Amino acid sequence: MSRKRFATVWLGGCSGCHMSFLDQDERLLELVAAADLVHSPVMDVKRYPEGVDVCLVEGAVANEEHLETLRAVRARTRILVAFGDCAVTGNVTALRNCLGGAREVLDRAYLELADVTPRIPCEPGLVPPLLDRVAPLHAHVPVDRFLPGCPPSADAIHAVLLELLELPAGTPPAAAPRFG
Amino acid sequence: MSQRIVIDPVTRIEGHAKISIHLDDAGRVEDARLHIAEFRGFERFCEGRSFRELPVITSRICGICPVSHMLASVKAGDALLAVEVPATAKDLRRIVNLGQLVQSHALSFFHLSAPDWIVGYDAPPEERSVVGLFRREPELARDGIRLRAFGQQVIAAVTGKRIHPAWAVPGGVAAPLAPEAREALLAALPEALAIAERTLARFKRALPERAEEAATFGDFETLHMGMVDPDGTLEHYDGRLRLVSASGEVLADQVDPARFEELIGEAVEPWSYLKFPYYRPWGYPAGIYRVGPLSRLNAAARCGTPRADQELLFFRDLARGPVHASFHYHLARLVEILHALEKVQRLLDDPAILSRDVLAVARRNRLEGVGACEAPRGTLFHHYRVLKGGIVTEVNLVIATGQNNLAMNRTITQIARHFLDGRKITDGLLNRVEAGVRAYDPCLSCSTHAVGQLPLRVELRGPGGELIDAAVRGEGPTGG
């Protein structure tokens, strides 16, 4: 059986889910010994590769670049996992939605709170424009699996990865899954 | 032909950023810029909520240093209540802050930066990662995982959760320390200390081979800011601000963090979501200053724990006066890890740490409050204004990474000039430009509270600034 390929991607979120991914601690070493981690913010491979079996996507879709990334990930991934509450519901990243469009949050940070040179960053190709509405992943692409939590516990992440990568179940998690 | 190189995204950093390098007609580097590509708008959507909600919301600014935001936020809350926080609650907050410093510094040193100097700046990109590190030096990789896990264990043992605990509250903390948790941490400390010691020894041995990087990764004069206690000793949780000049002269000392706006102004550039703080008395951009481990060690007179103070002597010997080379952020991080472990031990050894008197209760008594602490990457400020009922009307967050923004930009320009001028541009050379950013351990989650995440992209621009070649590194839509 060929080795499975997995990846992680970080969109609009705090990286807490990725930190919880790293909280698998030594189990992470077992994981990368049994399957290939082919793309992740903690790696240098900059282009999302073709033929990925499982991808954990953290964060909500908040700007144009996130959307472009998510579509590319969807096209090249067999099982796409909405990883953590921002990806599942929008969560804290989506709190700005109730204020109206993107302009509202930008004005406060860059016009009203700046001391000199107040202006809204906009350089084309370098600073991606915000979408007016922050949305969870499934608002834009089909999602195969939802892994909630803010962040999901390391045990939950590990269990889901073992299952989706079709690896033998490891030691049962010490703690029962928790909410939040 | 003049051109712009874009590195997109910058990898092995905590956020989404790009780098653009501008070359002139002769192929010499004119300028390089770090672009932060994310923005989430916390400053706006926290308004209209109770200040008591803000510790849990603002900790979601960053999954790497949620404890820093939780603590800065509750300290701003303490100021609004105008209460005396019980001594044990302060010490428990201090322990959690140090636990986070250990896990965050370990992440930066082992997981993100060690692949550069162990696996190699010029190694193939697919090998430059913690996975490659594991293949090359499994003991070191395992040490990194264990040390980071210890920091997380400290946070979980005291607060009940590794990431985003709801534990510190204005006036104190929600729960005292359980005796078993204290025992478990004291039992785990010797291993963590041993890892810190052997990593320091290993890194110091490697330093002579990295002389070229040390001389070119952001070695220039700036001011440095960090928190110190009343006698000038390093203090991460509750210090006052000290700013030293490039020659080490003290420009400002024992400044109450509540007065931070007298020291710090913020500018905006159209090419980044990350703002540009500067030392207000010197203006923008002349008031360039740095924060974080390097600056803290430059500003403080001593660490105040024996082993760290011994290592501080080695650090001081790297330069006459303040150590300006950003490459040495790595060493400073290791010294701080050692200090944090020694201090956690000292705090846990005190039987008073088990006191159940950990919360002072009050209503809101003031309308404005500032909370500040030393986050892993530098000084963090939360500044709130509230209505009588405690509803927040104004939030300003000044984040550690932002304060290094001017210095990070100058650093990548320095590295690009040194390594790219007149040479064939290779992946290894571009990786050095990224490594210059990594030295600061920028946390772009945080910085783009107000500003965002850090992918890396390099562009070639003509003399008029026009895009000539988006020689995008690892072209393709995926950033972070």
Side-chain angles (χ1 to χ4, degrees), chain B residues 8 113 123 134 140 155 188 227 237 310 323 330 371 387-388 408 444-445 447:
Chain B
D8 177 15
S113 281
F134 181 60
L140 188 89
I155 297 169
M227 278 185 175
Y237 166 71
Q310 213 172 319
V323 178
H330 296 307
L387 300 171
K388 279 186 177 171
M408 287 192 290
L444 302 167
S445 288
S447 348

Side-chain angles (χ1 to χ4, degrees), chain A residues 153 155 173-179:
Chain A
S153 71
D155 286 345
R178 57 163 166 68
F179 180 78

Side-chain angles (χ1 to χ4, degrees), chain B residues 410-439:
Chain B
R410 197 181 287 183
T411 297
I412 58 175
T413 304
Q414 185 182 35
I415 298 173
R417 286 200 176 128
H418 181 83
F419 286 100
L420 300 188
D421 261 359
R423 299 194 205 180
K424 182 172 161 42
I425 295 174
T426 64
D427 174 77
L429 294 178
L430 291 178
N431 181 41
R432 281 178 173 76
V433 178
E434 292 184 67
V437 176
R438 274 177 216 128

Side-chain angles (χ1 to χ4, degrees), chain A residues 32-130:
Chain A
V32 298
D36 292 326
L37 180 61
V38 294
H39 180 86
S40 170
V42 298
M43 303 178 72
D44 273 3
V45 176
K46 294 183 190 299
R47 182 182 160 80
Y48 191 86
E50 300 286 343
V52 175
D53 292 297
V54 176
C55 183
L56 304 179
V57 181
E58 170 183 352
V61 182
N63 68 36
E64 291 181 3
E65 216 165 70
H66 295 153
L67 190 53
E68 197 185 336
T69 300
L70 178 63
R71 287 180 175 144
V73 168
R74 178 67 277 181
R76 301 173 200 166
T77 310
R78 199 160 56 81
I79 304 172
L80 192 154
V81 182
F83 179 31
D85 284 346
C86 291
V88 173
T89 71
N91 196 31
V92 172
T93 308
L95 284 179
R96 73 166 164 87
N97 284 350
C98 60
L99 302 170
R103 194 57 205 248
E104 182 70 26
V105 282
L106 289 169
D107 283 359
R108 176 56 51 92
Y110 297 105
L111 301 184
E112 295 162 30
L113 289 176
D115 297 297
V116 297
T117 61
R119 55 191 137 181
I120 291 178
C122 59
E123 187 146 320
L126 289 174
V127 181
L130 300 189

